[in-house]
Amino acid sequence: MSVPHLTTALRGPILELERRILEAMPTIEHWLRGKWQNYSIPFYCSVDLRNSGFKLAPVDTNLFPGGFNNLNPEFLPLCVQAMMAAVEKICPDAHSILLIPESHTRNIFYLQNVAVLRDIMRHAGMHVRIGSLMPEITSATTISLPDGNTLVLEPIQRTNNRLGVDNFDPCAVLLNNDLSSGIPDILKDLEQIVIPPLSAGWSTRRKSQHFFAYDSVAQEFAELIGIDPWLINPYFSSCGKIDFREKKGEECVAAAVDEILKDLQEKYAQYGVKEKPFVIVKADSGTYGMGIMTVKDSADVYKLNRKQRNKMTKIKEGLPVTRLLVQEGVYTFESINHAVAEPVIYMIDRYVVGGFYRVHTSRGADENLNAPGMHFVPLAFNTSCVLPNHTALPDAAVNRFYAYGVVARLALLAAALELERYLADISDPSLEALQS
């Protein structure tokens, strides 16, 4: 399959942005190499991007990616090489890893992701067992997957300060569980290294904290290659003490929407963008596309019906929403078979290992695509994100994917900065404000 159609590819500043990124490739790669030496890079990461034809920006960064099954299988060697580098860096003597997935067995697509992740680590030379946090898993349980593969879930055992499963004492514990509902006691104070760190889970992490870090990364990168940072960076704000059901905190949300829309109208006028600006309001933590709405006028915040209020009240595992990220809405003008699409880029350590398009046939270019009814198109990524062609047009597939890989790595760098700030100095006033 060819690269999805970008309806605005022949107009707007995105071509100029892609051209700048392409021309600055040696400078960019040198700059990133220096950054990777200064920070502890997240073990793995996925970044949701939106390409509006006049802007290319990340809108979400997940440190517990759950879609390895959606990657192009041809890029498995890239994944394996990156996994070798990631494991060697964190635990040079590692030969065995306990993989802890999310606590839901019914989502067969997610379990296929776990199987692919297990296979990548095995190819990288690891002994891998899968330990489940689910109380109903009391003995080794084999699950058959649609592709003919199988997955064996085993009950986790804790002996003193070490985790394992039956006759298996691993060097490290790899979480593919985002800890939305909190950090289980069984994971606390372990002798083994736990990757990602427990602080990367959604029980402590905030999206606003991430974009606060991304803001500084985008600013430095924009100065490096001479672009307007807005072209790669969405405006955002955050609000706490929210309860939509009780209509508490709405004033903060409406004020943030007004401010972002005002700033966007100025930018749209500057770049000759004819579309109407919009804002995305979403829970400040969590995944699975829950607790998200599109807003085009601050008055809409006060006009939510009961169903909409209930939708904005809870996220994954029924957790209450008390903090919101109010974020510039970035249009997606990419489409596959006339359905809107957005790229999702996957990284292991600092290496881009592939990606796929999230596609939704019943959603618009200004809506969240991470919703029931979405599907994934891995084979659109029929070329690597790391080999641009300087003789081709800036929006040729290889060059567009390279631009995606660059912006995704900026989000990865922001995640590294975010975790370091949080882990190193929780007393930082700006972070305290974000955490409160």
Side-chain angles (χ1 to χ4, degrees):
M1 178 178 289
S2 61
V3 61
H5 181 55
L6 178 62
T7 55
T8 57
L10 298 180
R11 68 172 180 84
I14 197 72
L15 271 177
E16 175 64 14
L17 173 62
E18 290 175 336
R19 185 183 65 79
R20 287 285 184 93
I21 289 175
L22 201 59
E23 289 178 349
M25 179 185 173
T27 302
I28 291 170
E29 297 301 329
H30 178 265
W31 179 77
L32 283 171
R33 277 196 302 273
K35 293 297 183 184
W36 303 139
Q37 292 172 9
N38 295 332
Y39 296 102
S40 296
I41 308 166
F43 186 81
Y44 51 13
C45 175
S46 68
V47 178
D48 294 359
L49 299 176
R50 303 272 284 202
N51 188 347
S52 64
F54 54 86
K55 179 170 186 144
L56 172 61
V59 294
D60 213 354
T61 300
N62 185 7
L63 298 181
F64 302 86
F68 281 95
N69 55 310
N70 296 317
L71 298 179
N72 186 337
E74 292 181 16
F75 294 155
L76 182 63
L78 270 179
C79 294
V80 172
Q81 284 187 317
M83 183 65 72
M84 287 177 175
V87 172
E88 184 177 317
K89 183 184 299 180
I90 290 171
C91 191
D93 299 325
H95 53 79
S96 57
I97 286 183
L98 179 66
L99 173 59
I100 300 180
E102 293 281 356
S103 295
H104 47 63
T105 56
R106 295 179 183 176
N107 187 335
I108 208 71
F109 300 108
Y110 171 73
L111 292 176
Q112 285 180 295
N113 151 77
V114 174
V116 172
L117 186 54
R118 174 202 63 192
D119 292 346
I120 290 171
M121 288 192 290
R122 283 181 175 172
H123 284 298
M126 301 290 109
H127 296 290
V128 186
R129 302 270 283 272
I130 302 167
S132 175
L133 291 170
M134 292 184 292
E136 60 267 33
I137 300 293
T138 57
S139 60
T141 303
T142 301
I143 298 173
S144 298
L145 302 175
D147 60 1
N149 215 333
T150 60
L151 205 61
V152 179
L153 300 181
E154 300 181 74
I156 292 176
Q157 301 169 352
R158 177 161 176 158
T159 305
N160 297 321
N161 290 329
R162 296 189 69 83
L163 281 192
V165 293
D166 188 35
N167 293 318
F168 185 72
D169 182 23
C171 302
V173 175
L174 175 61
L175 297 176
N176 198 242
N177 182 315
D178 64 21
L179 307 177
S180 288
S181 56
I183 301 171
D185 288 341
I186 198 170
L187 295 180
K188 295 177 181 177
D189 303 316
L190 294 175
E191 290 178 5
Q192 296 133 308
I193 188 169
V194 178
I195 42 181
L198 298 177
S199 59
W202 284 124
S203 56
T204 53
R205 189 172 173 240
R206 298 285 179 267
K207 295 182 181 183
S208 52
Q209 186 177 321
H210 173 74
F211 282 100
F212 181 78
Y214 183 79
D215 207 39
S216 60
V217 170
Q219 185 68 43
E220 186 177 344
F221 178 81
E223 291 175 3
L224 180 76
I225 70 169
I227 61 168
D228 179 351
W230 177 75
L231 294 174
I232 56 169
N233 189 13
Y235 291 133
F236 77 96
S237 184
S238 64
C239 290
K241 299 179 180 177
I242 298 293
D243 187 338
F244 271 112
R245 192 173 289 159
E246 299 295 327
K247 299 187 178 183
K248 292 180 180 177
E250 290 179 328
E251 298 82 3
C252 176
V253 179
V257 168
D258 269 338
E259 184 176 353
I260 290 175
L261 287 176
K262 178 176 175 290
D263 291 341
L264 280 179
Q265 282 166 345
E266 292 176 3
K267 282 295 182 182
Y268 278 26
Q270 178 183 342
Y271 287 100
V273 177
K274 304 302 182 186
E275 280 74 22
K276 184 174 182 178
F278 69 100
V279 171
I280 294 291
V281 177
K282 56 187 173 184
D284 203 11
S285 61
T287 52
Y288 291 88
M290 302 176 74
I292 299 180
M293 64 179 179
T294 299
V295 178
K296 295 188 176 179
D297 189 308
S298 61
D300 296 341
V301 174
Y302 299 105
K303 297 176 182 176
L304 301 181
N305 59 36
R306 180 180 296 179
K307 182 178 179 182
Q308 290 169 319
R309 289 183 183 280
N310 287 339
K311 176 186 170 188
M312 294 300 296
T313 302
K314 293 183 179 180
I315 54 171
K316 179 186 170 191
E317 299 185 33
L319 296 172
V321 175
T322 58
R323 290 189 55 84
L324 290 174
L325 177 72
V326 185
Q327 186 180 57
E328 169 189 343
V330 182
Y331 281 94
T332 177
F333 286 134
E334 291 188 282
S335 61
I336 294 178
N337 297 328
H338 306 292
V340 291
E342 64 185 12
V344 183
I345 305 299
Y346 268 59
M347 288 159 285
I348 298 175
D349 194 64
R350 62 190 175 98
Y351 303 101
V352 177
V353 296
F356 52 83
Y357 276 89
R358 180 184 288 119
V359 184
H360 209 299
T361 56
S362 59
R363 291 279 172 125
D366 61 350
E367 293 183 283
N368 166 45
L369 304 189
N370 188 1
M374 64 181 169
H375 65 278
F376 304 99
V377 182
L379 295 182
F381 278 72
N382 53 16
T383 181
S384 164
C385 293
V386 295
L387 292 174
N389 181 351
H390 293 268
T391 64
L393 292 172
D395 66 338
V398 290
N399 294 334
R400 193 192 300 180
F401 289 163
Y402 176 68
Y404 289 169
V406 167
V407 176
R409 282 182 289 166
L410 296 181
L412 176 69
L413 176 56
L417 181 59
E418 167 199 358
L419 290 178
E420 181 175 283
R421 283 175 171 175
Y422 179 70
L423 289 171
D425 187 8
I426 194 63
S427 64
D428 182 334
S430 61
L431 291 179
E432 279 190 349
L434 289 170
Q435 287 292 325
S436 62

